[in-house]
Amino acid sequence: MSSIGSMNATLNNNRKLLKNGRRKPFTKMNGGSGKKQGYKPYVLPKVSPHVLRRVRIKTRRQNRRLLKKQIIIGTVVFVVVFYWFYIIQYG
């Protein structure tokens, strides 16, 4: 019964705060939905074609390097697991 009493006390206290004007409703919900903010679209900066080409080349190089690392690590893991199963079965 005490939990229902405490809920009622909380509701009554919140109502009193709203009546006094000391508390604004819904200001701390959803990151402060009480304040209105306008939507500002992001404007992409102008970039010259040679910079875009360099970025594209660099990205391809990084992707190739990452693929090589993944293949090497995958091969090492596969060999270790295969060797482990071989030792368990025949060793």
Side-chain angles (χ1 to χ4, degrees):
M1 275 306 241
S2 67
S3 64
I4 294 175
S6 65
M7 286 191 304
N8 286 333
T10 303
L11 288 173
N12 287 333
N13 288 336
N14 287 340
R15 282 191 193 114
K16 287 177 189 174
L17 286 173
L18 284 173
K19 285 180 186 175
N20 294 342
R22 288 188 287 175
R23 180 176 170 267
K24 294 179 183 177
F26 307 117
T27 53
K28 293 183 181 176
M29 185 177 79
N30 295 334
S33 62
K35 40 187 167 169
K36 303 283 187 222
Q37 293 180 349
Y39 174 72
K40 289 171 63 176
Y42 181 74
V43 178
L44 289 171
K46 302 252 185 225
V47 181
S48 58
H50 71 279
V51 173
L52 290 175
R53 195 168 126 271
R54 276 192 280 160
V55 168
R56 193 178 311 119
I57 291 170
K58 184 177 178 182
T59 306
R60 286 181 187 161
R61 189 178 302 137
Q62 288 174 347
N63 286 343
R64 261 189 246 124
R65 215 176 274 156
L66 180 64
L67 181 64
K68 287 177 186 177
K69 285 180 185 176
Q70 288 175 342
I71 289 173
I72 291 170
I73 291 172
T75 305
V76 169
V77 169
F78 177 74
V79 167
V80 168
V81 169
F82 185 74
Y83 179 74
W84 186 63
F85 280 124
Y86 180 80
I87 293 297
I88 287 176
Q89 191 166 6
Y90 296 111

